[in-house]
Amino acid sequence: MARLGDICDILNGFAFRSEQYTDSGIRIIRIANVQKGYIEDSAPVFYPTESKEAQKYMLSSGDLLMSLTGNVGRVALIGENFLPAALNQRVACLRIKNETVLNKNFLFNFLNSDYFEGMCIASSKGVAQKNMSTEWLKEYEIPLFPVEKQLEIASILDKLATLVSFRKQQLAKLDELVKAKFVEMFGDLKRNSMDWSVYTFNDFASIDTTMIHDFTEYGEYPHIGIDSIEKDTGNLSGYRTVKEDGVISGKYLFTPEHIIYSKIRPNLNKVALPDFAGVCSADAYPILPKKEKCNRVFLAYTLRNPVFLDYILAFSNRTNLPKVNKQQVEGFCCPIPDIELQEKFSSFFGEVARQKLTIQQSLDKLEVLRKSLMQEYFG
């Protein structure tokens, strides 16, 4: 075992002032940039190149960065593409003293393990917001295998990470394929570029507000809260049964023929296509398409489309609590293509969904294997 402070230089960042940010220069790596396993850089900020403060806190390619506040213990490696960069406050930099003793990829995999992240959280102070100390970090001991063993472990975990990343890319590409097919078949619905007939919401669907209060017969039904719906994709995960959640307040009943639409924070674009019966939060609407006019898959994609999003966000942006009501949803008008064409799209969607399921099952197995190996190597 070895103390991190003995094998790494552990550096704190500087409180760079936001009013001095510029459009170019030295990139400032803030706590929001440090995500679990990678650098998030969608909204970079910079400091003047001539800044003496920035020059004192410059980072090097391969430095390990760790979040010290909020979601503590997140770790990322900074690459050459992010340089020149300086370290902001509440982000720690771990710089290996001797790579003949400690391999960088091995350390990255250890620090990126769920076990280590849990230890960081447990060591942190604060209720509303966690804060981790670099002094605790310096004293933390890690297993120091011989370098050959470190390289072997790092190689195995890196290969698994590459496979996981590839599977996720495959899923993202299939999602893009479905979106492209939707546009190919139906055009730009907002402009109605294919000149489809336009109908009001109640012509092609209804909001099914069948609410239940007595859950005697529904204890084993899945209970879908809006947190169980992934934004943009509509994937359902992390839900439990009515009995497990101890549900007592009124909920909406839904079937595999419904769409679940979150009416809270509609900008998150949470539209789900359940393939089972269950109950959902009153913060969502079960929507039932009229089969002779509108296909369920087509309608779900339409609700995720700018033609609906731009319409509904105009209402939710007017309030402090973004939320839309039944009347506002029912006020939506939309181009509706021929039902036969909608059903062709639904069939295409089903085929892609089967491919995604196969890939997702492979991804799940890889994740289980990765966690198992992390547990074996690191505890």
Side-chain angles (χ1 to χ4, degrees):
M1 304 295 289
R3 293 167 62 250
L4 279 172
D6 290 337
I7 52 180
C8 295
D9 291 318
I10 299 179
L11 315 172
N12 285 295
F14 179 75
F16 292 101
R17 289 169 289 184
S18 58
E19 64 269 19
Q20 293 189 18
Y21 288 164
T22 60
D23 294 331
S24 62
I26 298 171
R27 181 184 263 97
I28 301 300
I29 300 297
R30 301 167 294 165
I31 199 164
N33 299 120
V34 183
Q35 299 299 315
K36 189 172 176 63
Y38 68 97
I39 298 290
E40 163 58 50
D41 194 46
S42 58
V45 298
F46 300 89
Y47 227 63
T49 304
E50 63 274 11
S51 165
K52 293 182 180 179
E53 293 97 337
Q55 294 295 335
K56 291 178 182 178
Y57 292 87
M58 296 297 286
L59 293 166
S60 301
S61 179
D63 281 343
L64 283 153
L65 307 180
M66 185 180 298
S67 58
L68 299 175
T69 294
N71 294 318
V72 298
R74 294 180 304 192
V75 178
L77 273 168
I78 188 165
E80 192 74 37
N81 55 313
F82 293 110
L83 301 180
L87 189 67
N88 200 34
Q89 64 178 344
R90 305 309 300 155
V91 181
C93 170
L94 288 82
R95 192 171 287 162
I96 294 173
K97 294 180 179 180
N98 185 351
E99 288 209 35
T100 64
V101 175
L102 178 62
N103 177 262
K104 179 171 56 182
N105 287 343
F106 170 80
L107 180 61
F108 171 73
N109 278 292
F110 176 84
L111 298 179
N112 203 35
S113 67
D114 292 341
Y115 172 79
F116 179 75
E117 186 177 16
M119 296 300 292
C120 291
I121 293 169
S123 77
S124 301
K125 298 178 181 179
V127 178
Q129 183 166 253
K130 296 286 187 183
N131 284 286
M132 190 174 106
S133 164
T134 51
E135 294 307 309
W136 173 85
L137 194 59
K138 290 175 183 178
E139 295 298 321
Y140 189 85
E141 293 186 337
I142 70 165
L144 196 62
F145 299 103
V147 172
E148 294 76 12
K149 182 65 175 178
Q150 293 180 39
L151 291 169
E152 177 189 335
I153 291 171
S155 176
I156 291 169
L157 295 177
D158 286 347
K159 286 175 182 175
L160 273 175
T162 299
L163 286 172
V164 167
S165 177
F166 179 65
R167 292 287 180 265
K168 289 180 177 179
Q169 289 175 27
Q170 286 181 304
L171 291 174
K173 290 293 184 184
L174 286 173
D175 285 336
E176 291 174 10
L177 178 64
V178 174
K179 289 179 182 178
K181 189 68 172 179
F182 186 89
V183 174
E184 176 190 324
M185 294 180 70
F186 308 119
D188 182 342
L189 290 184
K190 189 172 180 181
R191 293 190 298 109
N192 196 9
S193 59
M194 292 189 175
D195 200 27
W196 305 111
S197 297
V198 176
Y199 295 89
T200 63
F201 183 89
N202 289 330
D203 288 330
F204 54 80
S206 62
I207 297 176
D208 186 0
T209 52
T210 303
M211 183 169 279
I212 56 174
H213 299 273
D214 181 358
F215 298 97
T216 306
E217 300 177 12
Y218 302 99
E220 299 305 317
Y221 271 47
H223 171 223
I224 304 299
I226 59 174
D227 288 342
S228 302
I229 306 173
E230 186 176 62
K231 66 177 184 178
D232 297 327
T233 69
N235 293 334
L236 292 168
S237 63
Y239 54 85
R240 304 191 301 174
T241 65
V242 168
K243 184 178 180 180
E244 287 171 334
D245 282 344
V247 173
I248 55 174
S249 60
K251 305 293 176 187
Y252 292 129
L253 192 65
F254 67 83
T255 71
E257 296 183 346
H258 286 83
I259 297 166
I260 304 175
Y261 171 73
S262 172
K263 61 184 179 182
I264 302 293
R265 297 182 68 192
N267 61 305
L268 293 180
N269 202 14
K270 294 191 172 188
V271 183
L273 284 165
D275 57 1
F276 51 83
V279 299
C280 69
S281 164
D283 287 332
Y285 287 134
I287 295 176
L288 194 61
K290 296 181 178 178
K291 292 182 179 179
E292 70 282 0
K293 182 67 69 175
C294 192
N295 176 275
R296 187 175 83 118
V297 173
F298 167 80
L299 180 54
Y301 263 79
T302 299
L303 295 178
R304 296 175 189 153
N305 189 281
V307 68
F308 179 74
L309 278 174
D310 291 350
Y311 162 81
I312 208 68
L313 289 178
F315 296 104
S316 65
N317 289 338
R318 297 173 188 168
T319 63
N320 291 327
L321 176 63
K323 183 177 180 179
V324 294
N325 60 41
K326 186 170 181 281
Q327 291 71 32
Q328 289 164 344
V329 175
E330 290 176 335
F332 174 60
C333 295
C334 180
I336 300 295
D338 297 336
I339 188 65
E340 293 82 6
L341 195 61
Q342 295 180 46
E343 289 172 352
K344 285 183 180 179
F345 174 75
S346 180
S347 296
F348 176 81
F349 171 85
E351 179 58 38
V352 173
R354 285 186 284 275
Q355 294 179 47
K356 287 181 63 179
L357 178 60
T358 300
I359 295 169
Q360 185 63 54
Q361 289 170 340
S362 172
L363 177 59
D364 291 343
K365 289 178 181 178
L366 288 169
E367 293 282 17
V368 169
L369 177 59
R370 178 177 173 275
K371 288 183 178 181
S372 174
L373 289 173
M374 286 278 198
Q375 180 70 23
E376 177 185 336
Y377 297 142
F378 306 135

